């Protein structure tokens, strides 16, 4: 699938650049310091491509994914290692999705999922990452645009207002938000993402730079989360 290949090639190209010269040697030393098998690779790129091969290395890839979740400098290596599986899942679940949007969403989701992958069984991590990343990116790019969402957005001026309401005041909006969060309308990860980027000056831009993804992709993601929150909070307040 061209879209998925394009996404994964971004990570492969990034790893290729990081593998050159002194930075590459420093990165390889970091990888060797993990104590994991490096498959006799001489560069991070060579290791990432070897890990991606289908030769019963699921457990080793799982360990590298977990290391990548806690060490930002190894995130690209981890995604390249899981790349072929991600592409296979995308092809099996092919469906209509705007290429540019799916590309942005998949980049963001892959990086975000690495933060939670350590809770998954080691031998399942590669397929887990692939399945969840593809399904989340497709769901996001298939979500409806406009319509009731536009009116909700105008009615609800942003989750930032709620964050500024002291809980001790038992403000109706804050109480409605608590009930919505308890009901699981959004995940804890989505809440932390929204709260963190809304309550921190420059939070969204800083996150985009840290994850090396576009600001627009993160902005769209937060908007969709807030529209879901808006619908649920308005329903609570109307009770």
């Amino acid at each position: 699938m061209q879209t998925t290949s394009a996404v994964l090639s971004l990570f492969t190209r990034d790893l290729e650049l990081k593998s050159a010269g002194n930075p590459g040697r420093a990165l390889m030393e970091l990888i060797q310091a993990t104590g994991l098998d490096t498959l006799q690779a001489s560069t991070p790129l060579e290791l990432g491509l070897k890990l991606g091969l289908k030769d019963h290395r699921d457990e080793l890839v799982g360990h590298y994914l977990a290391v990548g979740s806690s060490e930002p400098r190894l995130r690209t290596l981890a995604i390249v290692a899981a790349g072929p599986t991600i592409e296979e899942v995308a092809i099996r679940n092919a469906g209509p999705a705007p290429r540019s949007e799916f590309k942005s969403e998949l980049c963001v989701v892959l990086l975000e999922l690495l933060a939670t992958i350590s809770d998954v069984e080691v031998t399942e991590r590669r397929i887990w990452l692939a399945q969840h990343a593809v399904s989340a990116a497709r769901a996001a790019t298939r979500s409806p645009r406009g319509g009731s969402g536009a009116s909700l957005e105008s009615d609800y001026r942003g989750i930032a207002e709620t964050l500024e309401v002291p809980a001790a005041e038992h403000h109706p909006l804050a109480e409605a938000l608590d009930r919505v969060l308890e009901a699981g309308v959004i995940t804890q990860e989505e809440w932390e993402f929204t709260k963190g980027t809304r309550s921190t000056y420059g939070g969204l831009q800083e996150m985009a730079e840290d994850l090396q993804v576009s600001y627009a992709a993160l902005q769209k993601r937060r908007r969709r989360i807030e529209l879901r929150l808006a619908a649920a909070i308005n329903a609570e307040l109307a009770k």
Side-chain angles (χ1 to χ4, degrees):
M1 183 178 180
Q2 290 184 343
T3 305
T4 313
S5 298
V7 173
L8 297 174
S9 67
L10 292 176
F11 291 106
T12 303
R13 177 59 177 161
D14 185 29
L15 187 59
E16 181 181 10
L17 294 173
K18 291 176 179 176
S19 295
N22 290 330
R25 285 189 283 274
L27 185 57
M28 201 64 202
E29 290 176 1
L30 175 64
I31 294 169
Q32 292 167 339
T34 66
L36 296 176
D37 187 356
T38 59
L39 307 178
Q40 298 182 325
S42 58
T43 68
L45 176 62
E46 183 185 357
L47 173 59
L49 295 176
K50 280 188 173 183
L51 286 168
L53 297 176
K54 278 190 170 181
D55 54 357
H56 310 293
R57 302 194 189 280
D58 283 345
E59 186 165 353
L60 183 57
V61 174
H63 284 303
Y64 271 108
L65 286 169
V67 170
S69 72
S70 58
E71 173 50 73
R73 288 172 291 178
L74 298 183
R75 285 187 303 209
T76 302
L77 169 67
I79 292 175
V80 169
T85 305
I86 296 168
E87 187 164 9
E88 287 176 9
V89 171
I91 291 172
R92 286 200 305 270
N93 296 278
R99 291 186 176 184
S100 60
E101 291 186 13
F102 179 73
K103 178 178 175 180
S104 296
E105 290 291 344
L106 188 56
C107 282
V108 172
V109 173
L110 282 170
L111 292 165
E112 287 182 343
L113 283 178
L114 284 179
T116 60
I117 206 167
S118 58
D119 295 330
V120 183
E121 289 292 331
V122 172
T123 54
E124 298 174 0
R125 284 174 183 161
R126 177 155 57 176
I127 191 67
W128 182 92
L129 176 70
Q131 290 175 334
H132 284 70
V134 171
S135 62
R138 290 209 181 285
T141 51
R142 285 172 177 163
S143 60
R145 302 291 194 272
S148 60
S151 61
L152 280 173
E153 188 172 35
S154 63
D155 292 339
Y156 189 69
R157 299 296 181 180
I159 205 66
E161 297 177 17
T162 307
L163 297 175
E164 295 168 359
V165 176
E169 293 183 9
H170 301 292
H171 192 285
L173 188 58
E175 292 179 352
L177 174 63
D178 287 340
R179 292 193 295 273
V180 165
L181 294 177
E182 288 174 5
V185 172
I186 63 172
T187 66
Q188 183 63 33
E189 179 186 348
E190 288 174 326
W191 170 239
E192 293 298 332
F193 162 68
T194 304
K195 181 175 66 172
T197 56
R198 280 295 187 189
S199 60
T200 304
Y201 179 76
L204 200 62
Q205 183 62 48
E206 291 176 2
M207 180 175 287
E209 293 172 357
D210 182 50
L211 296 178
Q212 295 183 341
V213 298
S214 73
Y215 176 89
L218 289 182
Q219 190 176 46
K220 287 179 184 177
R221 183 174 178 80
R222 186 174 66 184
R223 178 179 179 274
R224 283 193 294 272
I225 294 170
E226 291 185 347
L227 288 176
R228 294 210 314 271
L229 278 175
I233 288 174
N234 285 339
E236 282 291 331
L237 293 174
K239 290 181 178 177

